Structures are given as C-alpha cells and as structure tokens.
Amino acid sequence: MISEDVKEELDRHPFVPLRLYLSSGQKIDIKYPGTAWVRRNTMLIVHPLAPGTAAIGNYDVVALPLIERMEQINGSTPRTRRAPRRRGQS
C-alpha cells in the first residue's frame, strides 16, 4: 500500500472509519480520527478504551507493504423493509 493513499484516507474531512485488510488475513479497524499515523514504512494505530478518551487500550504497528487493501466502513445500519399495510390494520 502506498503511504500517500493511506494518509489521504486518514486526513479525510469529515473522517470516515476505515478497515485495513492485511496479507495475513487480519482485519484492523480505524474507527476514530487522530488514532492512526503513517511513518516511513509503517503505520501506528491506537485503539482508545472509549470514544473521545485519550486512554489507549491497545495498539497495532503495521508494515505498509502488508496492507492489501482498505475500505471505508459504512456506519449506517441496514434498513429492513416493512410489509405494506392493508386497509383496516394499524
């Protein structure tokens, strides 16, 4: 993965959560802005204990060449389709 591509996604305004797919099969989510940084050949991703807190629960260091692809995580929940109402039903 090219560092400029990753930086572009991390710097997107408004921030859109990302999912990284690694060559090992592992998936890493970046859910919040300001929790991932690109270095020369690696990426540091911290996982906060709770949203909006500075307390770090865990972290990952990933070599950029091991990132096979990334995608935006759609935060919306799928809507289920309701059956049409018949006359006389509430």
Side-chain angles (χ1 to χ4, degrees), residues 16-67:
V16 177
L18 299 170
R19 177 165 292 139
L20 305 178
Y21 292 86
L22 307 183
S23 58
S24 66
Q26 183 182 5
K27 299 174 197 168
I28 299 176
D29 290 348
I30 304 171
K31 297 179 182 179
Y32 309 104
T35 58
W37 299 269
V38 176
R39 303 288 299 183
R40 185 176 301 172
N41 294 316
T42 60
M43 183 174 187
L44 171 64
I45 305 157
V46 296
H47 306 284
L49 287 175
T53 182
I56 298 170
N58 203 354
Y59 67 92
D60 291 295
V61 178
V62 178
L64 291 175
L66 298 180
I67 301 172

